[in-house]
Amino acid sequence: MSNTLSLDFVLSFCQEKIPSQGEDSYCYSFCDAAGMLGTFDGCGGSGAKKHAFYSGHTEAYIASRLCAGSFFDEFRKEYPSEHTVAWLVKEVFEPRTVQRLRNFAPPADISGFRIKGPSVRTLPSTAAVALMRYEADGSVLVTAIWAGDSRVYIMDSLGLSQMTTDHTTVTDPMETLYEDGILENVFCTDKPVKLWCKTVRMTEPFVVFSATDGCFGYLSTPMEFEGVLLTALQKSECVDAWEKQLRDFLGSIAGDDYTLCLAAYGYGDYENLQQSFAVRYNYLAKNFLLPLSNLPMEDRESRQNLWKPYRVNYMRYIEG
């Protein structure tokens, strides 16, 4: 089958804030009929307990890797698949990932000491996965599958749009940058998890990616995240250079691990991708990035006023 929107390339990085102690992970896999990519953030607060059983690593460190391995393995087993995405989520990705975590649950602490508290979880991790399925008409069905506050995004000629909603007590993308919500609904072994799904059909070239909160959580507005992506794109001459630009800039601002896994569809090559976003970059720079650069950091009200028109397109998959 010839697909109008074929896969162009994959870009990914997983950067640790503390060497050898990073609690993020990621995976991706592609076949003729479909593709999958995802990022996973071990919840360091609720999963901070360390075990000699894990060579001194935290439960969060292990959990993100177990989740990534589970999604990777199950995708490889199930595709090509005639099952619906809803069936795969309910019968495959959700229960088998939980079972993998249970199989690796740490042994009882022989010292008798155990961290206690309502927020403590065993092997906790977020998951944000994008599943791409080729259709006979040349379109691509993109399904975001998630639990927690890692996110799936789509970026096309209209700009950046968030597909997922954070499973926290603060859900507005602007407010999450200023208020710490309580993280809810994550993979772990001692509390039920529910994977959420959202599917959109893409008929024009697009970029889809998953990111942990270290990528977007240290900026003052959501539009600046698109600014980071497009500025790095316009300054780079190839995919590797784009990756380096993104990695270096996010590293300069992030106070946490930061992980991103991205796939581009339908552009043909990097130069076409770059040119496709040139108009959008100029619009974003003029209407949002330049005004933001002139605001003092404490001026949250002006940032909110810029966010209002930007959020219409940014939230199109969430608010319809």
Side-chain angles (χ1 to χ4, degrees), residues 255-273:
D256 193 3
D257 306 328
Y258 55 98
T259 300
L260 185 145
C261 193
L262 173 154
Y265 284 85
Y267 297 97
D269 57 38
Y270 187 80
E271 184 178 358
N272 283 338
L273 169 70

Side-chain angles (χ1 to χ4, degrees), residues 52-179:
F53 181 70
Y54 294 147
S55 300
H57 287 299
T58 64
E59 292 187 6
Y61 174 100
I62 299 299
S64 66
R65 286 152 177 81
L66 289 173
C67 287
S70 177
F71 273 85
F72 178 84
D73 290 343
E74 299 307 331
F75 175 83
R76 302 278 288 187
K77 289 177 188 175
E78 296 293 338
Y79 278 87
S81 175
E82 297 301 321
H83 293 296
T84 65
V85 172
W87 185 90
L88 287 165
V89 169
K90 187 67 176 177
E91 302 298 330
V92 175
F93 291 126
E94 185 179 299
R96 294 182 191 175
T97 300
V98 170
Q99 188 59 51
R100 182 170 295 206
L101 291 170
R102 289 174 177 166
N103 290 343
F104 281 82
D109 190 333
I110 59 174
S111 70
F113 174 78
R114 182 162 180 81
I115 301 173
K116 297 183 182 296
S119 65
V120 175
R121 297 285 176 260
T122 302
L123 296 174
S125 178
T126 69
V129 175
L131 185 64
M132 288 69 68
R133 296 179 67 151
Y134 299 126
E135 296 294 288
D137 62 2
S139 64
V140 176
L141 289 182
V142 180
T143 300
I145 305 167
W146 77 98
D149 63 352
S150 297
R151 296 175 180 173
V152 175
Y153 294 87
I154 285 179
M155 190 167 68
D156 59 13
S157 60
L158 295 178
L160 181 67
S161 299
Q162 189 175 317
M163 281 192 71
T164 56
T165 51
D166 295 348
H167 292 152
T168 65
T169 51
V170 179
T171 58
D172 181 87
M174 183 70 170
E175 295 303 314
T176 60
L177 300 174
Y178 297 90
E179 299 181 30

